[in-house]
Coordinates of all heavy atoms in Angstrom, one line a residue:
M1 N -15.5 80.8 8.8 CA -14.6 81.5 9.6 C -13.7 80.5 10.3 O -14.2 79.6 10.9 CB -15.3 82.4 10.5 CG -14.8 83.8 10.6 SD -15.6 84.7 11.9 CE -15.2 86.3 11.4
L2 N -12.4 80.7 10.3 CA -11.5 79.8 10.9 C -11.5 79.8 12.5 O -11.3 78.9 13.2 CB -10.0 80.0 10.4 CG -9.0 79.0 10.9 CD1 -9.4 77.6 10.4 CD2 -7.7 79.3 10.2
F3 N -11.8 81.1 13.0 CA -11.7 81.3 14.4 C -13.0 81.6 15.1 O -13.1 82.3 16.0 CB -10.8 82.5 14.7 CG -9.3 82.3 14.3 CD1 -8.8 82.9 13.2 CD2 -8.5 81.4 15.0 CE1 -7.5 82.6 12.8 CE2 -7.3 81.2 14.6 CZ -6.7 81.8 13.5
S4 N -14.0 80.9 14.5 CA -15.4 81.0 15.1 C -15.4 80.3 16.4 O -14.6 79.4 16.6 CB -16.4 80.5 14.1 OG -16.3 79.1 14.0
P5 N -16.3 80.5 17.2 CA -16.4 79.8 18.5 C -16.6 78.2 18.4 O -16.1 77.5 19.1 CB -17.6 80.4 19.3 CG -17.8 81.8 18.7 CD -17.3 81.7 17.2
K6 N -17.4 77.9 17.3 CA -17.6 76.5 17.1 C -16.2 75.8 16.7 O -15.9 74.7 17.0 CB -18.5 76.2 16.0 CG -20.0 76.6 16.4 CD -20.9 76.3 15.4 CE -22.4 76.6 15.8 NZ -23.3 76.3 14.8
A7 N -15.4 76.5 15.8 CA -14.1 76.0 15.4 C -13.2 75.8 16.6 O -12.5 74.9 16.7 CB -13.5 76.9 14.3
L8 N -13.2 76.8 17.5 CA -12.3 76.7 18.7 C -12.8 75.6 19.6 O -12.0 74.9 20.2 CB -12.2 78.0 19.4 CG -11.5 79.2 18.7 CD1 -11.7 80.5 19.5 CD2 -10.1 78.8 18.4
L9 N -14.1 75.4 19.7 CA -14.6 74.3 20.6 C -14.3 73.0 20.0 O -13.9 72.1 20.7 CB -16.1 74.5 20.7 CG -16.8 73.5 21.6 CD1 -16.4 73.7 23.0 CD2 -18.3 73.7 21.4
F10 N -14.3 72.9 18.6 CA -13.9 71.6 18.0 C -12.5 71.4 18.1 O -12.1 70.2 18.4 CB -14.3 71.7 16.5 CG -14.1 70.4 15.7 CD1 -14.8 69.3 16.0 CD2 -13.0 70.3 14.8 CE1 -14.6 68.1 15.3 CE2 -12.7 69.2 14.1 CZ -13.5 68.1 14.4
K11 N -11.6 72.4 18.1 CA -10.2 72.2 18.3 C -9.9 71.7 19.7 O -9.1 70.8 19.9 CB -9.4 73.4 18.0 CG -9.3 73.7 16.5 CD -8.5 75.0 16.3 CE -8.5 75.4 14.8 NZ -7.8 76.6 14.5
R12 N -10.6 72.4 20.7 CA -10.4 71.9 22.1 C -10.9 70.5 22.3 O -10.2 69.7 23.0 CB -11.2 72.8 23.0 CG -10.5 74.0 23.3 CD -11.2 74.8 24.5 NE -10.9 76.1 24.5 CZ -11.6 77.0 25.0 NH1 -12.8 76.7 25.5 NH2 -11.2 78.4 25.0
L13 N -11.9 70.1 21.7 CA -12.4 68.7 21.7 C -11.4 67.7 21.2 O -11.2 66.7 21.7 CB -13.8 68.6 21.0 CG -14.4 67.2 21.0 CD1 -14.8 66.8 22.5 CD2 -15.5 67.2 20.1
L14 N -10.9 68.1 20.0 CA -9.8 67.1 19.4 C -8.6 67.0 20.3 O -8.1 65.9 20.4 CB -9.5 67.7 18.0 CG -10.5 67.5 17.0 CD1 -10.0 68.1 15.6 CD2 -10.8 66.0 16.7
I15 N -8.2 68.1 20.9 CA -7.0 68.1 21.8 C -7.3 67.3 23.0 O -6.4 66.4 23.4 CB -6.6 69.5 22.1 CG1 -6.0 70.2 20.9 CG2 -5.5 69.5 23.2 CD1 -5.7 71.6 21.0
N16 N -8.4 67.5 23.6 CA -8.8 66.7 24.7 C -9.0 65.1 24.4 O -8.6 64.3 25.2 CB -10.1 67.2 25.3 CG -9.9 68.5 26.1 OD1 -8.8 68.8 26.6 ND2 -11.0 69.3 26.2
L17 N -9.5 64.8 23.3 CA -9.6 63.5 22.8 C -8.2 62.9 22.7 O -7.9 61.7 22.9 CB -10.4 63.3 21.6 CG -12.0 63.5 21.8 CD1 -12.7 63.5 20.5 CD2 -12.5 62.3 22.7
L18 N -7.3 63.6 22.1 CA -6.0 63.1 21.9 C -5.2 62.9 23.2 O -4.6 61.8 23.4 CB -5.1 64.1 21.1 CG -3.7 63.8 20.7 CD1 -3.6 62.6 19.9 CD2 -3.0 65.0 20.2
I19 N -5.3 63.8 24.1 CA -4.8 63.6 25.4 C -5.4 62.4 26.2 O -4.7 61.6 26.8 CB -4.9 64.9 26.3 CG1 -4.1 66.0 25.7 CG2 -4.6 64.6 27.7 CD1 -4.2 67.3 26.4
F20 N -6.7 62.3 26.1 CA -7.4 61.1 26.7 C -7.0 59.8 26.1 O -6.7 58.8 26.8 CB -8.9 61.3 26.5 CG -9.6 60.3 27.2 CD1 -9.8 60.1 28.6 CD2 -10.3 59.2 26.4 CE1 -10.5 59.1 29.1 CE2 -11.0 58.3 27.0 CZ -11.2 58.1 28.4
S21 N -6.8 59.7 24.7 CA -6.4 58.6 24.1 C -4.9 58.2 24.5 O -4.6 57.0 24.7 CB -6.5 58.6 22.6 OG -5.6 59.6 22.1
I22 N -4.1 59.2 24.7 CA -2.6 58.9 25.1 C -2.7 58.4 26.5 O -1.9 57.4 26.8 CB -1.9 60.1 25.0 CG1 -1.5 60.6 23.6 CG2 -0.5 60.0 25.8 CD1 -0.9 61.9 23.4
K23 N -3.5 58.9 27.4 CA -3.6 58.3 28.7 C -4.2 57.0 28.8 O -3.6 56.1 29.5 CB -4.5 59.3 29.6 CG -3.8 60.6 30.0 CD -4.8 61.4 30.8 CE -4.2 62.8 31.1 NZ -5.1 63.6 32.1
I24 N -5.2 56.7 28.0 CA -5.7 55.3 28.0 C -4.7 54.3 27.4 O -4.4 53.2 28.0 CB -6.9 55.2 27.1 CG1 -8.1 56.1 27.7 CG2 -7.4 53.9 26.8 CD1 -8.5 55.5 29.0
M25 N -3.9 54.7 26.4 CA -2.8 53.9 25.9 C -1.7 53.6 26.9 O -1.2 52.5 27.0 CB -2.2 54.4 24.6 CG -3.0 54.4 23.4 SD -2.4 54.8 21.9 CE -1.4 56.2 22.2
G26 N -1.4 54.7 27.7 CA -0.4 54.5 28.8 C -0.9 53.5 29.9 O -0.2 52.7 30.4
L27 N -2.2 53.6 30.2 CA -2.8 52.7 31.2 C -2.8 51.2 30.7 O -2.5 50.3 31.4 CB -4.1 53.1 31.6 CG -4.3 54.5 32.4 CD1 -5.7 54.9 32.6 CD2 -3.5 54.3 33.7
I28 N -3.1 51.1 29.4 CA -3.1 49.7 28.8 C -1.7 49.2 28.8 O -1.4 48.1 29.1 CB -3.7 49.7 27.4 CG1 -5.2 50.0 27.5 CG2 -3.4 48.5 26.7 CD1 -5.9 50.3 26.2
L29 N -0.7 50.0 28.4 CA 0.7 49.6 28.5 C 1.2 49.2 29.9 O 1.9 48.3 30.1 CB 1.6 50.6 27.9 CG 1.6 50.7 26.3 CD1 2.5 51.9 25.8 CD2 2.1 49.4 25.7
N30 N 0.7 50.0 30.8 CA 1.0 49.8 32.2 C 0.5 48.4 32.7 O 1.3 47.6 33.3 CB 0.6 51.0 33.1 CG 1.1 50.9 34.5 OD1 2.0 50.1 34.7 ND2 0.5 51.7 35.3
A31 N -0.7 48.1 32.3 CA -1.3 46.8 32.7 C -0.7 45.7 32.0 O -0.3 44.6 32.6 CB -2.8 46.8 32.4
F32 N -0.2 45.9 30.7 CA 0.5 44.9 29.9 C 1.8 44.6 30.5 O 2.3 43.5 30.7 CB 0.6 45.3 28.4 CG 1.4 44.4 27.7 CD1 0.8 43.2 27.3 CD2 2.7 44.7 27.2 CE1 1.5 42.3 26.4 CE2 3.4 43.9 26.4 CZ 2.8 42.6 26.0
I33 N 2.5 45.6 31.0 CA 3.9 45.4 31.6 C 3.8 44.7 32.9 O 4.6 43.8 33.3 CB 4.6 46.8 31.8 CG1 5.0 47.2 30.4 CG2 5.7 46.7 32.7 CD1 5.6 48.6 30.4
L34 N 2.7 45.0 33.7 CA 2.5 44.2 35.0 C 2.2 42.8 34.7 O 2.7 41.9 35.5 CB 1.4 44.9 35.8 CG 1.7 46.2 36.4 CD1 0.5 46.8 37.1 CD2 2.8 46.2 37.4
I35 N 1.4 42.5 33.7 CA 1.1 41.1 33.4 C 2.4 40.4 32.8 O 2.6 39.3 33.1 CB 0.0 41.1 32.3 CG1 -1.3 41.5 33.0 CG2 -0.2 39.6 31.8 CD1 -2.4 41.8 32.0
L36 N 3.2 41.2 31.9 CA 4.4 40.5 31.4 C 5.3 40.3 32.6 O 6.0 39.3 32.6 CB 5.0 41.5 30.4 CG 6.2 41.1 29.7 CD1 5.8 39.9 28.8 CD2 6.7 42.2 28.9
L37 N 5.4 41.1 33.5 CA 6.3 41.0 34.7 C 5.9 39.7 35.5 O 6.8 38.9 35.9 CB 6.3 42.2 35.5 CG 7.1 42.2 36.8 CD1 8.6 42.2 36.5 CD2 6.8 43.5 37.7
K38 N 4.6 39.6 35.7 CA 4.1 38.4 36.5 C 4.4 37.1 35.8 O 5.0 36.1 36.4 CB 2.7 38.5 36.7 CG 2.1 37.5 37.6 CD 0.6 37.7 37.8 CE 0.0 36.6 38.6 NZ -1.4 36.7 38.9
F39 N 4.2 37.1 34.4 CA 4.5 35.8 33.7 C 6.0 35.5 33.6 O 6.4 34.4 33.6 CB 3.8 35.9 32.3 CG 2.4 35.6 32.3 CD1 1.5 36.5 31.8 CD2 1.9 34.4 32.9 CE1 0.1 36.3 31.8 CE2 0.5 34.2 32.9 CZ -0.4 35.2 32.4
T40 N 6.8 36.6 33.6 CA 8.2 36.4 33.4 C 8.8 35.8 34.7 O 9.7 34.9 34.7 CB 8.9 37.8 33.2 OG1 8.4 38.3 32.0 CG2 10.4 37.6 33.0
I41 N 8.2 36.3 35.9 CA 8.7 35.8 37.1 C 8.3 34.3 37.3 O 9.0 33.5 37.8 CB 8.2 36.6 38.3 CG1 8.9 38.0 38.3 CG2 8.3 36.0 39.6 CD1 8.4 39.0 39.2
L42 N 7.0 34.0 36.8 CA 6.6 32.6 36.9 C 7.4 31.7 36.0 O 7.6 30.5 36.4 CB 5.1 32.5 36.6 CG 4.1 33.2 37.6 CD1 2.7 33.1 36.9 CD2 4.1 32.4 38.9
I43 N 7.7 32.1 34.8 CA 8.4 31.3 33.8 C 9.9 31.0 34.3 O 10.4 29.9 34.3 CB 8.3 31.9 32.4 CG1 6.9 31.8 31.9 CG2 9.3 31.2 31.5 CD1 6.7 32.5 30.6
L44 N 10.5 32.1 34.7 CA 11.9 32.0 35.1 C 12.1 31.8 36.6 O 12.9 32.6 37.2 CB 12.7 33.2 34.5 CG 12.5 33.5 33.1 CD1 13.1 34.8 32.7 CD2 13.3 32.4 32.3
E45 N 11.6 30.7 37.1 CA 11.6 30.5 38.5 C 13.1 30.2 38.9 O 13.6 30.5 40.0 CB 10.7 29.5 39.0 CG 9.3 29.9 38.9 CD 8.3 28.8 39.4 OE1 8.8 27.8 39.8 OE2 7.1 29.0 39.2
K46 N 13.8 29.4 38.1 CA 15.1 28.9 38.6 C 16.2 29.9 38.4 O 17.1 30.0 39.3 CB 15.4 27.7 37.6 CG 14.4 26.6 37.7 CD 14.4 25.8 38.9 CE 13.4 24.7 38.9 NZ 13.3 24.0 40.1
N47 N 16.3 30.6 37.4 CA 17.4 31.6 37.1 C 17.1 32.9 37.8 O 16.4 33.8 37.2 CB 17.5 31.7 35.6 CG 18.9 32.3 35.2 OD1 19.6 32.8 36.1 ND2 19.3 32.1 33.9
L48 N 17.7 33.1 38.9 CA 17.5 34.3 39.7 C 18.1 35.6 39.0 O 17.5 36.6 39.1 CB 18.0 34.1 41.1 CG 17.8 35.3 42.1 CD1 16.2 35.4 42.3 CD2 18.5 35.0 43.3
V49 N 19.3 35.4 38.4 CA 19.9 36.6 37.8 C 19.1 37.2 36.7 O 18.8 38.4 36.5 CB 21.3 36.3 37.4 CG1 21.9 37.5 36.7 CG2 22.1 35.9 38.6
V50 N 18.5 36.3 35.9 CA 17.7 36.7 34.7 C 16.4 37.3 35.2 O 16.0 38.3 34.7 CB 17.4 35.6 33.7 CG1 16.5 35.9 32.7 CG2 18.8 35.0 33.1
K51 N 15.8 36.6 36.2 CA 14.6 37.2 36.7 C 14.8 38.6 37.4 O 14.0 39.5 37.1 CB 14.1 36.3 37.9 CG 12.7 36.5 38.3 CD 12.3 35.8 39.6 CE 12.6 34.3 39.7 NZ 12.0 33.7 40.8
I52 N 15.8 38.9 38.1 CA 16.1 40.2 38.7 C 16.3 41.2 37.5 O 15.8 42.3 37.6 CB 17.2 40.1 39.7 CG1 16.8 39.3 40.9 CG2 17.7 41.5 40.1 CD1 17.9 39.0 41.9
S53 N 17.1 40.8 36.5 CA 17.4 41.8 35.5 C 16.1 42.2 34.7 O 16.0 43.3 34.4 CB 18.6 41.3 34.6 OG 18.1 40.1 33.9
I54 N 15.3 41.2 34.4 CA 14.1 41.5 33.6 C 13.1 42.3 34.5 O 12.5 43.3 34.1 CB 13.4 40.2 33.2 CG1 14.2 39.6 32.1 CG2 12.0 40.4 32.7 CD1 13.8 38.2 31.7
F55 N 13.1 42.0 35.8 CA 12.3 42.9 36.8 C 12.7 44.3 36.8 O 11.9 45.1 36.7 CB 12.4 42.2 38.2 CG 11.6 42.9 39.2 CD1 10.3 42.7 39.3 CD2 12.2 43.7 40.1 CE1 9.5 43.3 40.2 CE2 11.5 44.3 41.1 CZ 10.1 44.1 41.2
I56 N 14.0 44.6 36.8 CA 14.5 45.9 36.9 C 14.2 46.6 35.5 O 13.8 47.8 35.6 CB 16.1 45.8 37.1 CG1 16.3 45.5 38.6 CG2 16.7 47.2 36.9 CD1 17.7 45.2 38.9
V57 N 14.4 46.0 34.4 CA 14.1 46.6 33.1 C 12.7 47.0 33.0 O 12.3 48.0 32.6 CB 14.6 45.7 32.0 CG1 13.9 46.1 30.6 CG2 16.0 45.5 31.9
L58 N 11.8 46.0 33.4 CA 10.3 46.3 33.3 C 9.9 47.3 34.3 O 9.0 48.1 34.0 CB 9.5 45.0 33.5 CG 9.6 43.9 32.4 CD1 8.9 42.7 32.8 CD2 9.0 44.5 31.1
L59 N 10.5 47.4 35.4 CA 10.3 48.5 36.3 C 10.6 49.9 35.8 O 9.9 50.9 36.0 CB 10.9 48.3 37.7 CG 10.2 47.3 38.6 CD1 10.9 47.1 40.0 CD2 8.8 47.7 38.9
F60 N 11.8 49.9 35.1 CA 12.2 51.2 34.4 C 11.2 51.6 33.4 O 10.9 52.8 33.2 CB 13.6 51.1 33.9 CG 14.7 51.4 34.9 CD1 15.7 50.3 35.1 CD2 14.7 52.5 35.6 CE1 16.6 50.5 36.0 CE2 15.7 52.7 36.5 CZ 16.7 51.7 36.7
I61 N 10.7 50.6 32.6 CA 9.6 50.9 31.6 C 8.4 51.4 32.2 O 7.8 52.4 31.8 CB 9.4 49.7 30.7 CG1 10.6 49.4 29.9 CG2 8.3 49.9 29.8 CD1 10.6 48.0 29.1
K62 N 8.0 50.8 33.3 CA 6.8 51.3 34.0 C 6.9 52.6 34.6 O 6.0 53.4 34.4 CB 6.4 50.2 35.1 CG 5.2 50.5 35.8 CD 4.9 49.4 36.8 CE 3.6 49.6 37.5 NZ 3.6 50.5 38.7
K63 N 8.0 53.0 35.1 CA 8.3 54.3 35.7 C 8.2 55.3 34.5 O 7.7 56.4 34.8 CB 9.7 54.3 36.4 CG 10.0 55.6 37.1 CD 11.2 55.5 38.0 CE 11.6 56.8 38.5 NZ 10.6 57.7 39.0
S64 N 8.9 55.0 33.4 CA 8.8 56.0 32.3 C 7.4 56.2 31.8 O 7.0 57.3 31.5 CB 9.8 55.6 31.2 OG 9.2 54.4 30.6
L65 N 6.6 55.2 31.8 CA 5.2 55.4 31.4 C 4.4 56.2 32.4 O 3.6 57.0 32.0 CB 4.5 54.0 31.2 CG 4.9 53.1 30.0 CD1 4.2 51.8 30.0 CD2 4.4 53.9 28.7
I66 N 4.7 56.0 33.7 CA 4.0 56.8 34.7 C 4.4 58.2 34.6 O 3.6 59.1 34.7 CB 4.3 56.2 36.1 CG1 3.6 54.9 36.3 CG2 3.9 57.2 37.2 CD1 4.0 54.1 37.6
N67 N 5.7 58.4 34.4 CA 6.2 59.8 34.1 C 5.5 60.5 32.9 O 5.2 61.7 32.9 CB 7.7 59.9 34.0 CG 8.3 59.7 35.4 OD1 7.7 59.9 36.4 ND2 9.6 59.3 35.3
L68 N 5.4 59.7 31.9 CA 4.8 60.2 30.6 C 3.3 60.6 30.8 O 2.8 61.6 30.5 CB 4.8 59.1 29.6 CG 4.2 59.5 28.2 CD1 5.0 60.6 27.5 CD2 4.0 58.3 27.3
L69 N 2.5 59.8 31.7 CA 1.2 60.1 32.0 C 1.0 61.3 32.9 O 0.1 62.1 32.7 CB 0.5 58.8 32.7 CG 0.2 57.7 31.8 CD1 -0.3 56.5 32.7 CD2 -0.8 58.1 30.7
R70 N 2.0 61.5 33.8 CA 2.0 62.6 34.7 C 2.2 63.9 33.9 O 1.6 65.0 34.2 CB 3.1 62.6 35.7 CG 2.7 61.7 36.8 CD 3.7 61.7 37.9 NE 3.4 60.7 38.9 CZ 4.3 60.1 39.6 NH1 5.6 60.5 39.6 NH2 4.0 59.2 40.5
F71 N 3.1 63.9 32.9 CA 3.4 65.2 32.2 C 2.2 65.4 31.1 O 2.3 66.6 30.5 CB 4.7 65.1 31.5 CG 5.8 65.2 32.4 CD1 6.8 64.1 32.5 CD2 6.0 66.2 33.2 CE1 7.8 64.1 33.4 CE2 7.0 66.3 34.2 CZ 7.9 65.3 34.2
N72 N 1.4 64.6 30.9 CA 0.3 64.7 29.8 C -0.9 65.4 30.5 O -1.9 65.6 29.8 CB -0.1 63.5 29.1 CG 0.9 63.2 28.0 OD1 1.5 64.1 27.5 ND2 1.0 62.0 27.7
K73 N -0.8 65.8 31.7 CA -2.0 66.3 32.5 C -2.3 67.7 31.9 O -1.5 68.5 31.6 CB -1.8 66.3 33.9 CG -2.0 64.9 34.4 CD -2.0 64.9 35.9 CE -2.2 63.5 36.5 NZ -2.1 63.4 37.9

């Protein structure tokens, strides 16, 4: 039977695993962006304009990832 209680439970489990994996990937990407931001600032110490522009771009990416994680709840 397609709509048995076990089938519905299995579908819920798969959906929960999918949502959990998306959240984990978002957290990993968030950590990666923070590390990338730190190394970019360390490498580009002299050029302030490039440093500020990369900082702004990475902050926008981080904000979009946070919004993605909030909407997946």
